[in-house]
Amino acid sequence: MKEVDVVFVGFGWGSSIVAKELVSTGLKIVGLERGFPRFTSPDFQSPEIHDELRFGVRKAMMQDNVREAITLRHSSNENALPVRRWGAFLPGTNLGGSGVHWNGQMFRFQVKDFVWKTAMVERYGKSFVDALDLTIQDWGLTYDEIEPYYDKFEYLCGASGKAGNIKGKIQPSGNPFEGPRSREYPTPPLKEQYNGALFRKAATDLGYHPYPQPSANVSVAYANPDGLKLNACVYCGFCERFACEHYAKASPQTVTLPILLRSPNFELRTQCQVVRVNLDSTGKKATGVTYYDAAGREIFQPASLVIISMFPFNNVRMLLLSKIGQAYDPKTGTGVVGRNYTYQTTSNVWSFFDEDVNINPFMGSGAIGTMIDDFSGDNFDHGPYGFIGGSYILAAWTGGRPIEQNPLPPGTPKWGKGWKEGVRKHYGHVGQILCHGTSMPTRENYLDLDPTYRDVWGLPLLRMTFDFPENDVKMIRFCTDRAMEISKAIPGSRQVSNKIYGQRPFDVSIYQSTHNCGGAIMGTDPSTSVVNKYQQCWDVPNLFSLGASSFPHNGTYNYTDTLQALNLFAADAILNRYLKNPGPLL
C-alpha cells in the first residue's frame, strides 16, 4: 500500500479521539479496525438493540474468542487454559470498540494515584509499603498535568455531574475528595434513583459524604464544542453491554467519528486484522503494520507514525508478537512488556425490602448512582489495616433486565417454582450497593504469550497469570463491611447479603469489571516501563501504545475518563512537539 503519515491499530475510543485531534493537520491518516462498521442509525435502533439474550448474555458486541481468545492460569506453576466464554470481563470489538457498550461512568483518578508509590511511602513509611510485596510505582506525570485534558474530554462528552472541588474550593453536594477541577461539569447530574436516595440518607446519617455519580449519559440536551449534539438520557435500563439508540451516551459514534468521516484525509478500513508492527533493520523504527483483510490477503501498510490503541490485552500482545521491548520475566523481575498487569477488585451488597418499598430498577442508566468516596484510594488511614488502596461505595441500578438483573436472597432455589416465586416477590424491591476497588500490581501477576494455544491466524494467544493479591483481598473485605453497615442502616432493609468477587482463586466465569490494566505501563525509567508519560514507546519512538495498558496500577474508579485524558495529553504532544521534531519526547 502507499505510505501514509499515521496508521491507527484498533479504532475505538482511544484511536478515534486522537485521530480527531490530528485530522485537521492535513496528515494522511488510516484507521484499521478488525471488526465491522456500525453506527447509531441503523445499527443501534430499538427494539433489536434491547435484545438482552443477544447482547447481555451471548455478548454479541464482544471479541470473538472462538477466533482469538486469551488463556488464564492463577500462578506460574499451573498450565493455562483458553477462556472460551467471556465472563469476568468483556473486551469489545467492531468499530468503536468498548466505547459503544460501556456504561458511561465518568470518574477522574485521584491526585495521589499518579504519584502512588511516593504518596504511600510518605504517609506510611517504606517498611510498611515494602512488607506488602507489591510492585507499585509512580506514573511519571501528575494530576495537574492532565487536568486540562480531563476537562476537555468531559466537555466533549457533555458529562453530567456535580463538582466537589473547583480550583481548590470544596463545593456542596459534590465529591469533597476529588482533585481540583477547573470548572463545573457541562451538564447537571442525572435524576436520582430511589435506591440512591435511601443510600444517601443512610450514608449521611453515618457521617459520610454522598454525591451523584458522574456520567457520560447526558442528563439534558447538549451541544459539545465541536457542534455535535447529544440528547437527554431516557433511563431505558439498557446501557452496559448495549449501544445507545437515543444519541444520549457519549461514544465514538456520537462525538468523534462524525468529524473524522467527513475529513478527506482520513480513511477507515474495517475487517482488517493487524498481526504485527513492522520494524526496520535497527529494530528502533516502525515502518508500518501488516494485516489480513476480509478476503484473507496479507497486506503491508507503510506509515511514518504507528499508534496502537486496542483493548489492553491486545496492545500487550501486539508488542510481544512484534518483538518490541523485552518481555517481562517474573523469576528475575527483568523485562517490561507484560509487567504490572492489574484488574479491579469488586463486591456487591443487596438489601431486600418488603413489597411496599418500590425500587423500580428498570428505570436505569449506565451511570446513575449515588455514592461515597470516604473509603476510596487513600482517603482514610490504612495504617491499622495492613493494606493500601480502597473502593468507592455506590448505590445504583443500571437497569432491571429480566434475565440477569434479578438478585434473590440466599437460600432461594436456583430454578423452578421456588425461583419463580422469589422473582415475583423480590423484583423491584431490592437495593443494590457496589464496591469498586483498586488493584495493586505484584511480581507474579503478568501477561505473556502462551506457548501452546494459538489463534485462527496461527499466532500465540496472550496468557494471563493472575490471582488477587492478599493486599486487595483485605481491602475489598474491609470496604464491603462498610457497605454492609450502610445497607443495614437503610430504613426498612429487611435482609442484607453480599458477594465478594475479590477472593482467591480468581473466578473468570463471573462478571466483575472490564477494567483490565497494565502490561505496557508508563514511567520515567525504561527498565521498569514500556512507554513514557506521553505513551510513546521507549524502544521505538515512532510507536505510541495508548490506553489502560499504560496504567502502572488500577485506581478505585472506572477508567475511561483517565485513559482519554492521557490520550488527549499524548495527542497534544504529538501535534505540538513530535510532528515538528520526530523523536523521543523527553
Side-chain angles (χ1 to χ4, degrees), residues 4-6 19 21-30 263-267 304-305 574-575 578-579:
V4 298
D5 296 301
V6 189
E21 295 297 296
L22 301 181
V23 75
S24 62
T25 62
L27 295 172
K28 178 62 177 176
I29 299 172
V30 168
S263 173
N265 54 304
F266 172 75
E267 180 187 356
S304 300
L305 177 62
I574 294 170
L575 187 63
Y578 179 85
L579 293 177

Side-chain angles (χ1 to χ4, degrees), residues 59-222:
K59 306 178 179 70
M61 291 191 174
M62 313 312 165
Q63 178 176 318
D64 183 354
N65 52 9
V66 173
R67 296 164 65 86
E68 186 181 2
I70 66 166
T71 66
L72 170 70
R73 58 183 182 175
H74 294 111
S75 75
S76 298
N77 299 322
E78 298 178 359
N79 291 322
L81 294 173
V83 176
R84 293 299 187 190
R85 292 187 181 182
W86 297 124
F89 37 79
L90 305 174
T93 196
N94 298 318
L95 181 62
S98 299
V100 171
H101 68 79
W102 74 312
N103 264 343
Q105 301 185 32
M106 200 70 159
F107 298 101
R108 298 183 177 194
F109 276 21
Q110 295 186 1
V111 173
K112 287 185 179 179
D113 278 315
F114 302 98
V115 289
W116 189 245
K117 184 171 184 178
T118 296
M120 295 302 98
V121 171
E122 285 180 351
R123 183 169 186 181
Y124 302 108
K126 187 175 185 299
S127 60
F128 179 94
V129 173
D130 287 347
L132 300 174
D133 196 26
L134 304 172
T135 56
I136 59 172
Q137 65 187 57
D138 293 351
W139 291 38
L141 81 171
T142 65
Y143 174 88
D144 288 343
E145 285 182 272
I146 67 163
E147 196 283 332
Y149 304 96
Y150 272 128
D151 180 83
K152 184 172 184 175
F153 181 61
E154 289 160 4
Y155 271 75
L156 182 76
C157 295
S160 299
K162 179 69 185 76
N165 182 339
I166 298 179
K167 298 180 179 179
K169 185 177 180 180
I170 302 303
Q171 307 293 309
S173 304
N175 176 15
F177 299 101
E178 72 173 354
R181 58 177 64 241
S182 53
R183 52 180 170 168
E184 185 56 87
Y185 281 92
T187 60
L190 293 168
K191 296 177 181 180
E192 186 175 52
Q193 293 177 315
Y194 189 46
N195 179 51
L198 294 172
F199 173 89
R200 175 166 46 83
K201 185 180 186 307
T204 301
D205 290 346
L206 290 170
Y208 301 136
H209 303 84
Y211 69 96
Q213 180 181 21
S215 173
N217 315 123
V218 181
S219 61
V220 295
Y222 176 76

Side-chain angles (χ1 to χ4, degrees), residues 35-49:
F36 294 90
R38 54 184 180 175
F39 299 95
T40 304
S41 181
D43 302 292
F44 303 157
Q45 294 305 295
S46 297
E48 288 84 358
I49 200 61

